[in-house]
């Protein structure tokens, strides 16, 4: 249950960040608003968690390993962005690039200081998860993760903050490198691709064929192979050869050949119905 709550909160946070980016405001104000929003959602996540009883060790580990760090990373990223805006020198383009390179060296030092945990994170290993991502763990391996003594034990584990820091630094590295390359207006979408397709790859292929068959991309001129390659890069997923995998869709029973697209349609309709149920204007019309 808490995993779904975290997913819903993160979707809401992402939507609000996009809305802020569309406002006609200064860069400094945009970053400040995003930081405030990210912090408010982390607080909300904490409020939902501190009195929650995890159903299993696996649920607790999954929450502190994959859910909470994403919220932390947003707060840390926008904190770093705000710090850059406030401290960057007033100088030439070369001086600014020198400053950005200096910041990159700081990130590289963080990776060196935490190389074991970084490697553990990137490898997808799980054999030390009980020591790193459970609140009852007070003595993680010192060579892997330093003991932290300044956190709320109801909402923290030895490694969740550092994983959030790793995620934030990955995004910040991309942002700084683009600035060094001379891209002055780097959007958050460009700054880092932290979106990963976690559903079945065949579902993404089904969606891709929907766009392809209805000519939604490049006025219908984009081939299915091109679309699939772009989606693989965007969502860090391996779909495979589209024509070969399309046979998996063809082999479905006729009543459920577009199973995933049908599920999406039902989910959207359900969301519309749920939101309408809580709109006072609609409630008033019903009675």
């Amino acid at each position: 249950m808490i995993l779904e709550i975290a997913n819903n909160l993160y979707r809401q946070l992402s939507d609000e960040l996009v809305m802020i980016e569309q406002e006609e405001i200064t860069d400094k104000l945009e970053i400040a608003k995003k930081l405030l929003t990210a912090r408010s959602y982390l607080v909300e996540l904490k409020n939902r968690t501190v009195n929650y009883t995890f159903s299993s060790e696996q649920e607790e580990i999954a929450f502190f390993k994959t859910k909470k760090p994403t919220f932390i990373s947003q707060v840390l990223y926008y904190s770093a962005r705000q710090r850059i805006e406030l401290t960057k020198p007033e100088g030439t383009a070369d001086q600014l690039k020198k400053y950005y390179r200096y910041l990159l060296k700081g990130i590289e030092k963080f990776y060196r200081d935490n190389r074991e945990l970084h490697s553990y994170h990137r490898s997808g290993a799980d054999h030390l998860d009980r020591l790193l991502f459970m609140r009852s763990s007070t003595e993680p391996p010192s060579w892997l993760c330093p003991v932290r003594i300044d956190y709320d034990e109801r909402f923290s584990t030895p490694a969740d903050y550092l994983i959030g820091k790793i995620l934030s630094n990955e995004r910040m590295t991309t942002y700084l490198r683009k600035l060094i390359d001379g891209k002055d207006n780097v959007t958050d979408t460009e700054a880092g691709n932290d979106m990963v397709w976690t559903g079945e790859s065949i579902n993404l292929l089904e969606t891709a064929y929907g766009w392809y068959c209805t000519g939604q991309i490049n006025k219908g001129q984009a081939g299915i192979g091109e679309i699939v390659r772009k989606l693989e890069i965007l969502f860090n997923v391996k779909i495979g050869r589209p024509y070969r995998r399309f046979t998996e869709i063809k082999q479905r029973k006729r009543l459920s050949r577009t199973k995933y697209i049908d599920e999406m349609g039902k989910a959207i309709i359900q969301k519309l119905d749920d939101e309408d149920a809580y709109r006072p204007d609609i409630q008033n019309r019903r009675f």
Side-chain angles (χ1 to χ4, degrees), residues 116-117 120 127-133 137-147 158-159 162:
E116 290 85 3
L117 183 62
Y120 182 85
H127 59 287
L128 295 174
D129 282 359
R130 294 184 72 256
L131 296 175
L132 296 174
F133 302 107
S137 176
T138 57
E139 297 184 3
S142 59
W143 55 270
L144 183 63
C145 179
V147 176
L162 286 173

Side-chain angles (χ1 to χ4, degrees), residues 26-260:
T26 65
D27 291 343
K28 289 183 179 180
L29 182 55
E30 178 183 315
I31 294 169
K33 291 186 70 172
K34 287 182 174 180
L35 176 57
L36 184 63
T37 301
R39 283 175 172 166
S40 70
Y41 273 90
L42 181 59
V43 170
E44 178 62 21
L45 182 69
K46 178 179 179 178
N47 292 338
R48 299 287 191 94
T49 306
V50 291
N51 295 318
Y52 177 78
T53 301
F54 287 94
S55 61
S56 63
E57 286 187 356
Q58 290 73 22
E59 185 183 42
E60 182 172 353
I61 289 170
F63 177 82
F64 286 106
K65 183 177 184 179
T66 66
K67 303 304 179 184
K68 184 190 171 188
T70 60
F71 289 82
I72 293 175
S73 71
Q74 292 282 11
V75 173
L76 294 178
Y77 176 73
Y78 289 114
S79 295
R81 286 282 304 275
Q82 187 176 64
R83 194 160 51 249
I84 290 173
E85 288 297 318
L86 294 174
T87 61
K88 68 181 180 182
E90 295 289 341
T92 64
D94 288 340
Q95 289 173 323
L96 282 172
K97 289 181 180 180
K98 182 178 180 180
Y99 174 66
Y100 298 143
R101 292 190 183 97
Y102 167 77
L103 295 178
L104 278 177
K105 289 182 179 179
I107 293 176
E108 291 168 0
K109 183 179 184 303
F110 169 82
Y111 285 138
R112 289 195 301 271
D113 293 343
N114 297 278
R115 55 185 175 274
E116 290 85 3
L117 183 62
H118 188 214
S119 297
Y120 182 85
H121 167 69
R122 296 188 64 181
S123 70
D126 59 10
H127 59 287
L128 295 174
D129 282 359
R130 294 184 72 256
L131 296 175
L132 296 174
F133 302 107
M134 291 194 66
R135 292 170 296 179
S136 59
S137 176
T138 57
E139 297 184 3
S142 59
W143 55 270
L144 183 63
C145 179
V147 176
R148 296 182 65 226
I149 59 175
D150 60 340
Y151 58 79
D152 185 340
E153 64 182 11
R154 300 172 302 167
F155 189 58
S156 294
T157 63
D160 60 70
Y161 176 86
L162 286 173
I163 296 300
K165 183 72 171 178
I166 288 171
L167 296 175
S168 171
N169 278 341
E170 289 174 349
R171 192 174 174 189
M172 181 55 64
T173 296
T174 302
Y175 174 74
L176 291 171
R177 285 176 176 166
K178 287 183 179 293
L179 290 177
I180 292 171
D181 290 340
K183 296 184 177 180
D184 295 327
N185 298 313
V186 182
T187 66
D188 286 337
T189 302
E190 295 176 301
N193 179 18
D194 57 357
M195 292 188 294
V196 177
W197 184 266
T198 54
E200 296 181 24
S201 60
I202 192 65
N203 293 341
L204 189 56
L205 178 67
E206 185 178 326
T207 307
Y209 264 102
W211 297 337
Y212 169 69
C213 294
T214 56
Q216 301 298 306
I217 301 175
N218 290 349
K219 297 182 179 180
Q221 298 303 306
I224 185 63
E226 297 176 83
I227 297 172
V228 166
R229 296 292 88 77
K230 290 290 186 181
L231 291 174
E232 286 182 324
I233 295 171
L234 176 62
F235 291 114
N236 192 27
V237 63
K238 183 66 175 177
I239 297 176
R241 296 182 180 180
Y243 296 105
R244 179 175 296 179
R245 296 213 62 194
F246 188 63
T247 59
E248 297 179 37
I249 298 175
K250 292 171 64 177
Q251 291 170 358
R252 293 172 178 170
K253 294 180 180 179
R254 182 161 297 277
L255 292 178
S256 61
R257 276 189 158 184
T258 55
K259 176 184 176 184
Y260 179 61

